Amino acid sequence: MITTNLDIETIREDFPILKRKVNGYPLVYLDNAATSQTPKQVINTIVDYYSRYNANIHRGVHSLSQEATDAYENARRKIQNHINAAQPYEIIFTSGTTDSINLVANGFTSFLKKGDEILVSAMEHHSNIVPWQMLCERTGAILKVIPMNHEGEFLIEDYAKMLSKNTKLVVCNHVSNALGTINPIEQIIALAHEVNAAVLIDGAQAAPHIKIDIQELNVDFYTVSAHKICGPTGVGILYGKEEWMTKLPPYQGGGEMIAEVTFEKTTYADLPHKFEAGTPNICGGIAFGAAIDYMNSLGYDAIASYEKELLEYATERLLSITGLKIYGTSQHKTSVISFNVEGIHPYDIGTILDKLGIAVRTGHHCAQPVMDYFNIPGTIRASFSFYNTKDEVDNLVAGVEKAKKMLG
Ligand SMILES: *Cc1c(COP(=O)(O)O)cnc(C)c1O
């Protein structure tokens, strides 16, 4: 029995897509770590924006422009409050986590020199690896990998030994998208600060499950993508601590980010506009705010405890299948299960599950080094959200059993 304060059936009514059929079967959507589905509260916000007050922001004197500006800036404050950042201008709207990380990596170019070190965990998404490799190429800095163990856990003692006066940056995800591991970011941040290194935490996979307190974490940079937390695609945020964001040079040049432009010299706008060149995803930002309201209306505690029960139930049921192995077995994880069935390629199982209307992810999950560590080409990843049910877990298990019979 799964007990929860959430009324899952009513919640499911908020998500029109969950009524869909796929290949003749009711959709079982278990690819939430890739992107979450969108509740009608967020969809309505988007429709309302384009139906009533679509206008460019920050420059217009007309009413529509002011309404759009107010809504956009209000969304920024919602996000600020949600993560308890000290200032609204520490929230920079970006196109998502990838964009946020590139903004910081680009900004650090002038801060690093040959021999400086960037530490990165072994379980990163490619978007938290490649921008740092590019930064190292530009500056001669060295990228060093913090190891993990076979449970898929960050090795804090090894990390502590790697820190030195050469360490300028530590980058790590809060939650691994490939394994579900929740990393001990409080300790990671505190240890980095002892050697005066800055810390960027990729929060893309944590935001749908964990409510953070930026000021308590005392983190320097934190990233979120709206589309993983019931918002639209193509929008996200970078949280950047004021002292860093003041020092960091602008990322892109253009409109909105300037104070004054002449052909001789341009001066830049204050935060956050310095980092927001061009017309932003206005509707997306406003809808991101609506997604945060939606998540908070359910409550993160209720979400976490329900998802934990789903995770435990799914783990137990899947492990009853002989030959099935789970990757990412930490006690501290979100509702992500990466697995393989002995002798069968993950892609083949994914294809059969799709024929049954069950959406999972197969492959390396943009985390090839994690797959290399376990010496596998990829996994099948089922990732659960608060709108998933125990029946859907049963469907998944039956689907994997069926695939195994067909392919084994
Ligand atoms: C999804 C994800 C990203 C990339 O996010 P985008 O929205 O595609 O930019 C980065 N890191 C982790 C851990 C993710 O789950």
Side-chain angles (χ1 to χ4, degrees), residues 89-94 100 103-104 108 111 220-222 237-251 269-272 274-276:
Y89 50 78
E90 292 178 316
I91 308 297
I92 310 296
F93 278 114
T94 64
S100 301
L103 189 162
V104 177
F108 262 76
F111 298 164
D220 303 289
F221 306 100
Y222 194 96
I237 57 118
L238 168 68
Y239 160 82
K241 200 186 275 177
E242 181 173 4
E243 54 173 293
W244 274 112
M245 296 314 268
T246 313
K247 275 190 283 192
L248 223 60
Y251 179 35
D270 290 335
L271 291 173
K274 177 173 131 185
F275 293 105
E276 294 181 351

Side-chain angles (χ1 to χ4, degrees), residues 33-34 95-99 101 125 127-128 173 175-177 202 204-205 225 227-228:
S95 73
T97 288
T98 304
D99 192 26
I101 294 172
H125 188 284
S127 68
N128 204 20
N173 53 37
V175 170
S176 156
N177 65 305
D202 166 358
Q205 207 59 238
S225 294
H227 70 96
K228 291 192 175 159

Side-chain angles (χ1 to χ4, degrees), residues 9 17 19 22 82 95 129 145 152 195 200-201 291 308 312 329 361 372 396-397:
E9 283 315 310
I17 209 167
K19 294 204 167 61
V22 172
H82 179 68
S95 73
I129 300 174
V145 182
V195 297
L200 178 139
I201 300 292
K308 182 164 184 281
E312 282 167 3
T329 46
R361 186 82 150 193
D372 291 346
L396 169 71
V397 173

